[in-house]
Amino acid sequence: MPTINVIDRSGAKREVEAEMGLSVMEVIRDNGFDELLALCGGCSSCATCHVYIDAEYADKIPAMQEDEDDLLESTDHRNATSRLSCQIEVSDAIDGMTVTIAPED
Ligand code: FES
């Protein structure tokens, strides 16, 4: 099973197992990171699952679609590594990736 590292808003880092078939948002939420609100439940309409990913993994996961791009534009804390964690599916390609929960808007 792949593992990912999650950095919360206090800067604490924890390695968690990422079950295939889940999204990164679900993995983060299921591991008790309550600060990732994921209010829309993963249907790409809230942007409260905003994370920063390792730049080196950007090419290993599917490129963002227009709706994800539009939602990220609405956040105050977007940077070049921003993604919506609900739009990243767990796969072997993300094994070892670090995701940082973005500040709350
Ligand atoms: S959970 Fe709402 S956009 Fe990801």
Side-chain angles (χ1 to χ4, degrees):
M1 189 181 298
T3 60
I4 61 173
N5 302 296
V6 181
I7 299 176
D8 68 19
R9 291 191 180 128
S10 74
K13 183 177 183 176
R14 181 153 57 97
E15 183 180 275
V16 298
E17 292 191 333
E19 188 179 329
M20 294 287 193
L22 297 183
S23 68
V24 169
M25 175 275 279
E26 291 169 314
V27 171
I28 296 171
R29 194 190 53 191
D30 291 354
N31 279 280
F33 293 91
D34 294 338
E35 59 193 20
L36 192 90
L37 297 178
L39 290 174
C40 78
C43 62
S44 198
S45 63
C46 74
T48 58
C49 65
H50 182 191
V51 296
Y52 304 129
I53 64 166
D54 276 350
E56 65 188 80
Y57 283 82
D59 293 338
K60 298 179 181 177
I61 58 178
M64 72 174 70
Q65 302 295 306
E66 195 177 337
D67 56 347
E68 181 180 353
D69 194 26
D70 288 346
L71 268 175
L72 285 169
E73 268 314 300
S74 73
T75 72
D76 293 333
H77 304 284
R78 184 176 191 172
N79 71 22
T81 63
S82 288
R83 292 297 303 257
L84 297 180
S85 57
C86 70
Q87 300 302 301
I88 306 171
E89 194 174 328
V90 173
S91 70
D92 287 329
I94 68 166
D95 187 39
M97 182 170 77
T98 296
V99 298
T100 303
I101 298 174
E104 191 169 9
D105 280 330

